[in-house]
Amino acid sequence: MQRFKIKPVLFLAVTVLFLCASLWSAEESPVVGIDELIKNARSAQDYEPVWEIGWALASLGEDAQAQLEQEAMGETPSSALACGYALLKMGKQYEGTVALERIINTAEYPFDRRIEAAAGMGVEGGEYTSSRLRALMAQTELPARLQVEIAKSLWRLTRAESAKDRLYELVKADSASA
């Protein structure tokens, strides 16, 4: 059986041609500004995740903080969620936590957004966030599914026994009602 051998020069030439063609055809990725990102977040459907928009907003840095804080306290749940998450990701614990907690406590907001806000606090939160999660965990009037997400977030941040105990209580209560 004869083996096919590629000569090194031929291999190098094909590789260089391939690289040149891919560079020539590659489009520059457009830089998206804060206004366009916020517009995308506002127009997101209630079931569409907005985490990637939050990451992109966070990457804009300190210059975007004032606009993020304003939008995080706005009336559009999806953009408030993206901006609140972005603030947490930027290390703005107080501002991000306040924004996400407001979403959790607004019963008129879509339930999925409220769940995502609770989950976001457990991913990027810190000491202030964990103290607010403890306070939220004490709000037994919140829907059980939301209480579960709050307890899970507190567990992710702190491994607190109180979070584990609350999760156990919620599972036990759900089992009893089934």
Side-chain angles (χ1 to χ4, degrees):
M1 178 175 183
Q2 187 178 17
R3 297 181 90 184
F4 180 73
K5 290 186 177 182
I6 297 178
K7 293 183 179 180
V9 174
L10 181 61
F11 177 74
L12 183 61
V14 170
T15 303
V16 169
L17 282 174
F18 176 75
L19 288 173
C20 289
S22 63
L23 288 175
W24 179 68
S25 66
E27 297 178 18
E28 286 187 36
S29 46
V31 176
V32 179
I34 189 168
D35 294 329
E36 187 171 339
L37 288 169
I38 289 174
K39 179 182 169 193
N40 291 343
R42 283 182 185 160
S43 64
Q45 298 296 317
D46 292 339
Y47 56 85
E48 291 178 320
V50 293
W51 302 117
E52 288 181 7
I53 297 171
W55 294 329
L57 288 166
S59 73
L60 297 174
E62 301 284 326
D63 295 339
Q65 183 178 346
Q67 195 169 348
L68 290 175
E69 288 177 17
Q70 182 179 1
E71 189 67 27
M73 299 312 280
E75 294 302 314
T76 308
S78 55
S79 64
L81 176 63
C83 292
Y85 181 73
L87 288 164
L88 275 183
K89 192 152 185 63
M90 292 168 58
K92 306 302 177 190
Q93 295 296 302
Y94 176 79
E95 296 84 351
T97 299
V98 167
L100 296 179
E101 186 175 1
R102 185 179 70 85
I103 295 168
I104 291 168
N105 284 320
T106 305
E108 295 79 33
Y109 280 176
F111 193 67
D112 286 349
R113 293 294 184 223
R114 295 173 70 196
I115 293 287
E116 289 173 306
M121 290 173 78
V123 173
E124 293 294 336
E127 210 170 298
Y128 179 75
T129 306
S130 61
S131 71
R132 295 311 306 152
L133 284 167
R134 280 180 171 69
L136 285 166
M137 209 168 59
Q139 294 181 18
T140 56
E141 71 278 358
L142 290 172
R145 178 67 185 97
L146 192 52
Q147 290 181 46
V148 166
E149 199 60 49
I150 290 166
K152 283 172 37 182
S153 287
L154 182 60
W155 174 255
R156 279 192 298 270
L157 288 179
T158 65
R159 296 294 191 239
E161 287 295 316
S162 59
K164 185 173 79 172
D165 293 344
R166 184 70 182 129
L167 283 169
Y168 179 73
E169 289 171 18
L170 290 164
V171 169
K172 188 175 168 184
D174 187 50
S175 297
S177 66

